[in-house]
Amino acid sequence: MGSTLRPGDTIGILGGGQLGRMIAQAASRMGLKCHIYCPDENSPAFEVSEKKTIAAYEDEQALTQFAKSVSVVTYEFENVPGETARILEQFVPVRPGPHALKVSQDRLAEKTFLSEEAATQVAPFIKVDTQAELEAALMELGGQGVLKTRRFGYDGKGQIMIRTPEDIEGAMSKLGNQPSILEGIVPFEKEISIIVARGVDGTVKCYDPADNYHKNHILKTSSVPADIPAETAQEAIDMATRIAVALDYIGVMGVELFVVRDGEATELKVNEIAPRVHNSGHWTEDACPVSQFEQHVRAVAGWPLGRPTRAHNVIMENLIGDDVNSWESALLEPNARLTLYGKAETREGRKMGHINHLSPKS
């Protein structure tokens, strides 16, 4: 099977949320079709895709039919079951590959990969499976840390901040006694992120770093350009490039980093990677000629990557829960671009859309 798609070919997308929806919209603009596979019959991506399959990710028969109907498979979330990727790979290329999924789904595997194979700095970390191991690990890290489940944590879920002896009591049981890691607390000044893309031919392109601000553990704004020295921005780009190359990655990936100041020096530590298009890259839709979504489509289709140049300064603002009720005022703002995700139900903490506030490039 050839690695390059032709206009009219079909990309299969696992997951039917807003990221799948925006990938499908970018693909449609370039003459490619999409087939969304998702168990949720109310998936917003279904509205903008030619084909859909509503089935469980463990349904081998449905997965086989899906794989035979597309030229390549990609995904919009990183918790795709490993067995799902294995079944699909028998019939069709899966991009990014299952190795990227395996690394990013397990925080211990991710931290080990980042520090050893990708040669990047991370917070100190220790494998923890029991309350006794947690208490021993805390002694090693100075009595404080962030306890995180190894799998299935996002937007602040699956983690506990430990700063006092009271926080230690019953901490493992609060996380369901799941396999976990304890990370040292990083005294970071801010979080930034990089959107990096790597093509089938090994070409790597990075967008400008963004400053990220979180509210209740959920990303609220990403601002570009990031307020960091030029050499720090370049170091972030270099680190993201090393990660993509070490993973033999194909597609777009989000890399979150902590900016840590030590006197006059600034250093970066990788917080985590997300093997997919990323919330902190939504600003590229309106500030760049080639968005992260088009870039991802180009990469998984085997097409040349676009230049990730930026034409504007921008603040991307997430509309979370009832924030979406401000959609009309966004339309009145002269340099704002509104994107709504078509979700039927507004819930607290749910990402409903975003606004890109544009200003002249600096």
Side-chain angles (χ1 to χ4, degrees), residues 12-72:
I13 303 174
L14 297 174
Q18 66 263 23
L19 300 180
R21 178 184 174 107
M22 288 184 275
I23 293 169
Q25 288 171 318
S28 174
R29 182 168 159 264
M30 293 186 288
L32 291 163
K33 298 172 183 174
C34 286
H35 183 162
I36 309 289
Y37 187 110
C38 188
D40 182 1
E41 60 186 29
N42 295 316
S43 297
F46 289 165
E47 297 177 2
V48 300
S49 180
E50 185 192 44
K51 294 180 183 174
K52 65 182 179 184
T53 294
I54 302 171
Y57 292 119
E58 297 76 23
D59 187 333
E60 188 164 352
Q61 186 176 355
L63 287 168
T64 300
Q65 289 181 323
F66 169 69
K68 290 179 176 178
S69 76
V70 302
S71 298
V72 67

Side-chain angles (χ1 to χ4, degrees), residues 127-298:
K127 175 176 175 287
V128 170
D129 289 330
T130 65
Q131 185 71 20
E133 287 181 2
L134 169 62
E135 289 169 14
L138 280 163
M139 296 266 295
E140 203 172 320
L141 293 183
Q144 296 188 332
V146 187
L147 179 66
K148 298 180 178 181
T149 57
R150 283 171 57 177
R151 298 175 68 84
F152 306 122
Y154 63 95
D155 286 350
K157 298 178 177 69
Q159 64 184 54
I160 296 173
M161 181 72 73
I162 296 177
R163 294 188 184 275
T164 68
E166 291 75 31
D167 296 332
I168 302 170
E169 291 177 26
M172 286 299 291
S173 63
K174 286 176 188 170
L175 291 183
N177 291 307
Q178 297 180 63
S180 302
I181 65 169
L182 182 72
E183 293 181 16
I185 294 175
V186 176
F188 63 93
E189 182 180 84
K190 65 170 74 182
E191 181 195 279
I192 64 170
S193 60
I194 288 272
I195 304 300
V196 56
R198 185 171 178 270
V200 169
D201 64 355
T203 300
V204 178
K205 305 277 189 183
C206 292
Y207 291 88
D208 288 349
D211 273 337
N212 293 333
Y213 165 70
H214 291 79
K215 185 177 179 181
N216 300 324
H217 301 290
I218 301 173
L219 182 68
K220 181 57 182 169
T221 62
S222 291
S223 305
V224 187
D227 184 17
I228 53 176
E231 57 269 25
T232 305
Q234 187 58 52
E235 184 187 353
I237 288 168
D238 293 344
M239 290 170 87
T241 300
R242 287 204 301 276
I243 292 166
V245 170
L247 274 177
D248 194 23
Y249 195 84
I250 298 173
V252 160
M253 173 169 52
V255 180
E256 296 177 359
L257 307 108
F258 292 136
V259 179
V260 184
R261 292 224 192 267
D262 184 7
E264 293 296 308
T266 300
E267 65 174 9
L268 294 172
K269 292 185 184 293
V270 181
N271 179 29
E272 62 182 26
I273 59 175
R276 52 172 170 79
V277 290
H278 196 255
N279 191 181
S280 70
H282 290 355
W283 63 269
T284 63
E285 266 193 310
D286 300 308
C288 302
V290 175
S291 73
Q292 67 163 342
F293 304 104
E294 178 177 330
Q295 195 79 295
H296 186 72
V297 170
R298 286 179 178 227

Side-chain angles (χ1 to χ4, degrees), residues 79-112:
N79 289 324
V80 174
E83 181 65 7
T84 302
R86 188 196 65 76
I87 292 167
L88 294 169
E89 257 204 326
Q90 297 176 75
F91 305 99
V92 69
V94 176
R95 297 173 178 157
H99 178 54
L101 278 176
K102 189 174 179 182
V103 167
S104 64
Q105 285 178 355
D106 183 317
R107 285 193 169 106
L108 180 62
E110 181 183 68
K111 297 290 183 188
T112 304

